[in-house]
Amino acid sequence: MIVTAKKQVPWSWVIIAALPLAAVFFQGGVMGQAFIFTLKKFFDNPETITFIISIPPLINMVVAAVVSLLSDRIWTRWGRRKPFLIFAWGKGVIFMPLMPLMPDATSLLVIYFISSLLGALSTPYEPLKQEIVPPPQRGMGFAFVRFLGEAKNLLFFFVMIGRFDDASFMGPLMITGELVLYWTIGLMWLAMLLLLMLGIKESKTDSNQKRQAKTFGSMVKALIDPHLRNIYILVVGTAALGAGLGVMGVLVYTDQWGYSKQDMGTNVAIGAALNLGIVFVVGYFADRWDRIKIFQFGIIAALVLKAVYFCYVTFVLPDQRPTLVEMVLFGEMIAVAAIIAHTVQSPMIFDYIERDRMGTYQAGHGLVTHLIGFVTINGVGWFVKGYSLLFMPPAGEATRIVLRAEADRPAIEQRLQAASWQDPAGGGPLAGAAIDARPWFATGRIAERGICYEVRLEDAASERLHAGERAAAEKAKNAAGTRLTTAKHALAAATAGGEATAMASATAEVAAAEAVVAEAGAALKRHEAELKRRADAFRAQVLTVLADQTVAEGEQILAVRADRALVVDLRADAVTTDSAEALLKAMRAADPAFIDLRVIRLPDGTRGISAARLAGDADAAGLRERIAAQAGVEAPKLLADGGLALAEQRERPVLVLEVASVEEPLESLDSPVTRLALSVEGLFGAKPPASDRRLGAAAKSVRKNAAFPLVRLSGRPGERIVVATAVLGEDAQAASGGDRAAALETRLATLAAPGAAPVPLQRTLYEAVEKACTGQRLTVVRPEIETGFAKLRYNYFSGYLWMMALGIIGLLITVRFTRMVRRGEIRKLGVEEHQR
């Protein structure tokens, strides 16, 4: 049994006292990360989400303050802190598992606010923990707290957040990753509740606070005690310094940078794994050095590193999208600085607080942090919204056009803004049209000059249609789709069990859900068709204004020629997808005329590889020897037991197309940090990523078409040209053409070389290349890239500017507090009490 108010305690007590924070941290992960995605099912605007998140702290600060004050002034048979915690942690057992089950926004918000209100009763936990752990052990004790936080990051972000959207069935019951996250929290709170009730005992003390009247006036007087007011100055500073991106941090990863939830989780988890040992080093020195100096060093380092990270992403990276290496590097440096500051922060503050005023201080601390939190959480949301409205493309009709030659952004915008425009919805004159035009690249590159432009018309009416009726129809369809899926599984279970009544009920439910899906789907299609009609009308006007500069269909095809290839089939029983891929990369790097290599089944059923090279001076034996030589380095197992023996050889016709692209097909490493990381990896034998890796991935997609079994896509340094070299299959057939087929075939007919494949087959290859490149963030030039309604593009990362401004304010406040300590205006009453 753990007992409070001891001069020294076993380290096992320190660890057990911190264990409830495992549930606190995990809930923080769920409510700070997963809950954002739960909210996004019903809300989209960042300022709305941040406002919802900020309301409970604002309401709860009053409840938390009263609870903290009372916890210094009461005594029950269970203690003075524990009764409040029993109710607070009990709510986690009940309400957290209910959140993902709520069918609409109203139900979700009701459960959320009730849960948050009851959660305010948990504020006496920190004083209870500090009463268990004496001052000389608090530094290492808080290091273990940080260890739990990093362990939570490792588990939550690496394992669980990426599974948020997963779903599986247990009979008719659908279990999602979202459900598992919230239910895990409920189980954790149940375990902590049992620990609190059965494993911790509070020691009764002769407290001056208990002898005071429990009136509102007396509690307010104790709350604004001159000594505590000075401590609140530091709390304001630390709260400002700790202000982060909040919910914007999640959306930076997923919405702005385009990473998946699992990518985000992996990034955080890597940092957490690195931090697990650092926290104990900091905790060791926190019990031996001047804590306030350590704290100031940490916050200054964190502030400087955040500024460096923002400038690096914004001004150095051409696409303003850091790689995983960069996120881990900067994130880890910032995290280490934050660990240094946060590990000493709590022990440092409680050095100034006596035991009997810990609850009173916690009340004031809660008021200050909740108020500052309300301002900072909403502030970052409104800052991001304002920044995006001022500097990012607006919501409205959007179209991406391609020019014949590169042009500067000011010149294009000037032509567009000088033109007369009509309302895309009604066709009437549109006065004061707000036109935005920016160079667009599939890679996200930010530039002031380009060949492809995204042109937008700010349109509030279309934005209301998209966010109102269309969004409502989409939500209704999704909800009905989930209902239909559940009903079908219930019907299958009832059918398997032969239960007639259940089958009839499930059949009726399936029919009802299908009707709702059809109705909502029809409404969604109507709204999307109207938005598309308006966007098409806007596009027609844009093309009229820029008619002399835009590319015409077919002009993107630069050249067509015919060739011959030598194809060899080699026996390779040990071949795998990975070994074939490694061998292919090596062959292409060693021989520019080499086309492709893929795993096949030979006529006798054994595994083999089929490889092709431009005929030229090649012969089958020589090609086989070249492949074997590379296999000896990249995949030696292929040579075992007579591997790579020649099974068949033949010559096949080759079709070569050259098409223009918006982006340069060959990637360059524009990131200094990534280049440095690759250089370090190279010292250990690691190979840098190939500059043509996007082309290689696109070629695999093209060869899924049986007409082109062996394909190579290549590029030339500094040129925006994709060269497609395709070996024609034995029974190569052209695909049926769409609306663009006639114009494409007309162009191809004018470029046709002697001996080339039929024009429809050439067009089929072009269409396959265009589609495959799109999937690899590589855009083949064409008159219409995309047209439709576009939402306001938010720059969530701009929240770093807000965060750094608050950090500077917090730093100045902390410096003022330090000067007050040095002048003797603030005493370490908690340390003095322990030493008596």
Side-chain angles (χ1 to χ4, degrees):
M1 177 71 72
I2 294 176
V3 182
T4 61
K6 297 294 184 181
K7 290 288 186 181
Q8 187 171 5
V9 299
W11 285 109
S12 60
W13 288 21
V14 177
I15 293 172
I16 294 172
L19 281 180
L21 284 170
V24 172
F25 289 146
F26 199 89
Q27 178 171 306
V30 172
M31 301 308 295
Q33 313 291 329
F35 187 62
I36 307 307
F37 300 116
T38 301
L39 281 177
K40 285 207 74 178
K41 294 188 292 187
F42 307 105
F43 305 98
D44 189 52
N45 290 336
E47 69 271 20
T48 302
I49 295 174
T50 53
F51 181 73
I52 291 171
I53 295 294
S54 70
I55 288 296
L58 187 63
I59 298 173
N60 294 351
M61 69 179 182
V62 178
V63 178
V66 173
V67 169
S68 295
L69 286 164
L70 287 176
S71 74
D72 274 352
R73 291 164 172 77
I74 66 168
W75 187 263
T76 71
R77 58 183 294 187
W78 299 285
R80 57 178 175 175
R81 321 280 191 197
K82 285 174 62 177
F84 298 105
L85 299 179
I86 290 172
F87 283 100
W89 296 357
K91 66 87 187 175
V93 178
I94 298 171
F95 289 103
M96 290 300 296
L98 293 177
M99 285 192 183
L101 302 176
M102 295 300 100
D104 52 59
T106 302
S107 304
L108 175 64
L109 293 181
V110 168
I111 292 293
Y112 172 59
F113 289 139
I114 293 175
S115 175
S116 300
L117 188 62
L118 292 175
L121 301 179
S122 66
T123 50
Y125 166 69
E126 185 63 25
L128 175 63
K129 180 166 70 72
Q130 299 299 336
E131 286 190 76
I132 294 172
V133 183
Q137 295 176 273
R138 287 175 185 166
M140 188 60 73
F142 200 77
F144 184 72
V145 169
R146 291 294 306 180
F147 175 84
L148 288 176
E150 299 302 334
K152 178 273 297 183
N153 287 339
L154 192 59
L155 173 65
F156 178 80
F157 285 101
F158 187 67
V159 178
M160 303 192 76
I161 189 64
R163 308 275 70 79
F164 182 89
D165 297 316
D166 290 359
S168 59
F169 281 86
M170 295 178 63
L173 182 63
M174 183 168 67
I175 306 296
T176 65
E178 180 184 16
L179 285 175
V180 172
L181 282 171
Y182 287 93
W183 291 354
T184 299
I185 271 294
L187 292 174
M188 293 180 73
W189 279 125
L190 177 61
M192 295 305 104
L193 190 60
L194 294 174
L195 170 64
L196 176 72
M197 297 174 67
L198 304 177
I200 299 176
K201 178 182 178 181
E202 292 190 72
S203 297
K204 192 172 184 178
T205 61
D206 184 20
S207 172
N208 292 327
Q209 301 288 349
K210 286 189 292 181
R211 291 194 292 270
Q212 292 182 8
K214 302 178 185 63
T215 62
F216 178 77
S218 66
M219 289 192 291
V220 170
K221 183 178 179 181
L223 192 64
I224 60 175
D225 173 85
H227 179 71
L228 291 182
R229 286 204 305 267
N230 290 329
I231 307 302
Y232 300 150
I233 294 174
L234 180 60
V235 173
V236 171
T238 57
L241 284 163
L245 292 180
V247 300
M248 302 296 106
V250 178
L251 302 179
V252 165
Y253 280 101
T254 57
D255 287 24
Q256 182 171 340
W257 291 342
Y259 289 107
S260 67
K261 298 180 182 71
Q262 185 59 64
D263 292 332
M264 177 185 69
T266 300
N267 171 51
V268 177
I270 291 173
L274 296 173
N275 294 337
L276 288 175
I278 295 174
V279 294
F280 292 109
V281 176
V282 177
Y284 175 83
F285 289 107
D287 284 336
R288 289 160 175 81
W289 290 359
D290 187 340
R291 288 171 178 164
I292 199 164
K293 290 182 179 179
I294 298 175
F295 177 74
Q296 287 183 328
F297 171 80
I299 60 177
I300 292 172
L303 189 59
V304 171
L305 288 169
K306 288 175 183 178
V308 171
Y309 186 33
F310 177 82
C311 293
Y312 178 82
V313 171
T314 305
F315 303 114
V316 176
L317 299 182
D319 57 355
Q320 297 184 356
R321 181 179 185 265
T323 62
L324 180 61
V325 171
E326 290 162 330
M327 287 189 287
V328 170
L329 176 65
F330 283 102
E332 181 59 17
M333 290 191 296
I334 294 171
V336 169
I339 286 172
I340 293 172
H342 294 161
T343 300
V344 301
Q345 176 182 325
S346 186
M348 175 187 70
I349 291 176
F350 279 98
D351 282 348
Y352 299 88
I353 312 295
E354 310 101 309
R355 280 187 61 210
D356 290 337
R357 287 206 287 183
M358 285 183 177
T360 303
Y361 157 74
Q362 197 68 22
H365 172 272
L367 286 169
V368 171
T369 54
H370 283 132
L371 186 60
I372 297 297
F374 179 82
V375 173
T376 57
I377 289 174
N378 280 284
V380 71
W382 286 107
F383 183 88
V384 167
K385 180 65 177 287
Y387 184 95
S388 300
L389 287 172
L390 288 173
F391 302 111
M392 300 301 290
E397 285 72 37
T399 184
R400 291 171 186 160
I401 59 165
V402 182
L403 309 178
R404 289 191 176 92
E406 283 190 338
D408 293 325
R409 176 184 174 187
I412 296 298
E413 281 193 327
Q414 185 177 4
R415 288 196 64 182
L416 291 169
Q417 291 167 358
S420 299
W421 297 91
Q422 293 181 326
D423 183 1
L430 191 62
I435 304 294
D436 182 275
R438 305 179 187 219
W440 178 87
F441 301 88
T443 55
R445 185 183 183 91
I446 309 298
E448 290 296 303
R449 181 177 175 83
I451 195 173
C452 178
Y453 272 78
E454 181 177 273
V455 184
R456 294 196 186 195
L457 169 67
E458 186 175 357
D459 191 335
S462 292
E463 185 178 15
R464 288 192 296 270
L465 175 60
H466 185 274
E469 294 97 321
R470 184 207 164 277
E474 184 178 39
K475 290 175 182 176
K477 182 182 177 183
N478 292 339
T482 301
R483 175 185 172 189
L484 177 60
T485 302
T486 303
K488 286 182 176 179
H489 278 83
L491 177 60
T495 303
E499 303 172 11
T501 303
M503 288 173 60
S505 176
T507 301
E509 175 65 8
V510 168
E514 287 177 338
V516 177
V517 169
E519 181 181 359
L524 180 61
K525 287 182 179 179
R526 287 197 304 273
H527 297 315
E528 289 184 336
E530 172 59 18
L531 289 169
K532 185 65 168 65
R533 183 192 68 79
R534 296 181 185 183
D536 287 340
F538 174 63
R539 172 180 171 76
Q541 296 181 68
V542 172
L543 291 178
T544 300
V545 175
L546 301 176
D548 59 329
Q549 289 183 264
T550 51
V551 70
E553 187 69 89
E555 291 180 356
Q556 67 268 35
I557 304 175
L558 306 178
V560 180
R561 59 181 181 272
D563 211 325
R564 302 289 295 179
L566 173 64
V567 181
V568 296
D569 295 342
L570 307 176
R571 298 188 182 280
D573 292 332
V575 70
T576 63
T577 302
D578 290 341
S579 62
E581 182 66 20
L583 185 56
L584 173 60
K585 290 179 180 178
M587 286 300 300
R588 284 179 173 169
D591 185 358
F594 190 83
I595 300 174
D596 200 3
L597 176 152
R598 64 184 301 175
V599 180
I600 61 169
R601 283 284 179 185
L602 296 171
D604 61 2
T606 59
R607 292 172 67 83
I609 58 175
S610 183
R613 182 187 186 278
L614 291 177
D617 58 352
D619 62 88
L623 180 55
R624 186 265 169 198
E625 289 301 322
R626 293 180 188 178
I627 294 173
Q630 293 298 330
V633 177
E634 302 294 339
K637 291 183 178 179
L638 298 182
L639 299 175
D641 301 325
L644 297 185
L646 184 62
E648 184 182 348
Q649 68 180 63
R650 59 194 177 278
E651 273 202 12
R652 293 296 306 158
V654 170
L655 176 61
V656 181
L657 292 182
E658 293 188 10
V659 296
S661 61
V662 173
E663 304 82 14
E664 290 188 14
L666 299 180
E667 295 182 271
S668 59
L669 291 176
D670 297 315
S671 161
V673 170
T674 303
R675 286 200 301 268
L676 177 61
L678 292 174
S679 299
V680 173
E681 291 177 0
L683 299 176
F684 300 93
K687 296 181 178 179
S691 62
D692 63 348
R693 58 186 181 276
R694 287 186 299 167
L695 294 170
K700 292 179 184 177
S701 298
V702 174
R703 73 184 187 192
K704 291 178 181 178
N705 189 324
F708 316 110
L710 295 164
V711 179
R712 177 173 185 171
L713 299 186
S714 57
R716 295 189 284 267
E719 295 186 7
R720 296 192 306 272
I721 297 174
V722 176
V723 181
T725 305
V727 177
L728 301 184
E730 298 287 347
D731 300 311
Q733 299 292 325
S736 57
D739 297 338
R740 303 165 56 203
L744 290 171
E745 291 184 4
T746 299
R747 172 66 173 176
L748 287 164
T750 63
L751 297 172
V759 168
L761 191 58
Q762 297 177 29
R763 187 254 309 154
T764 300
L765 175 59
Y766 166 80
E767 291 171 341
V769 170
E770 180 185 290
K771 180 180 179 181
C773 287
T774 299
Q776 299 299 323
R777 297 201 304 162
L778 180 59
T779 311
V780 173
V781 167
R782 51 193 184 274
E784 180 175 4
I785 304 296
E786 187 176 359
T787 297
F789 175 84
K791 296 189 293 184
L792 172 66
R793 188 184 302 168
Y794 290 102
N795 186 339
Y796 300 107
F797 194 64
S798 66
Y800 259 74
L801 295 172
W802 169 263
M803 188 168 60
M804 287 185 289
L806 290 176
I808 292 171
I809 294 172
L811 178 60
L812 295 175
I813 292 174
T814 305
V815 170
R816 179 177 181 273
F817 179 86
T818 303
R819 290 178 178 174
M820 293 174 70
V821 172
R822 290 174 179 171
R823 291 196 298 263
E825 299 175 29
I826 303 176
R827 295 166 53 197
K828 294 184 178 181
L829 298 181
V831 175
E832 294 174 9
E833 177 188 47
H834 176 76
Q835 292 172 347
R836 286 198 293 267

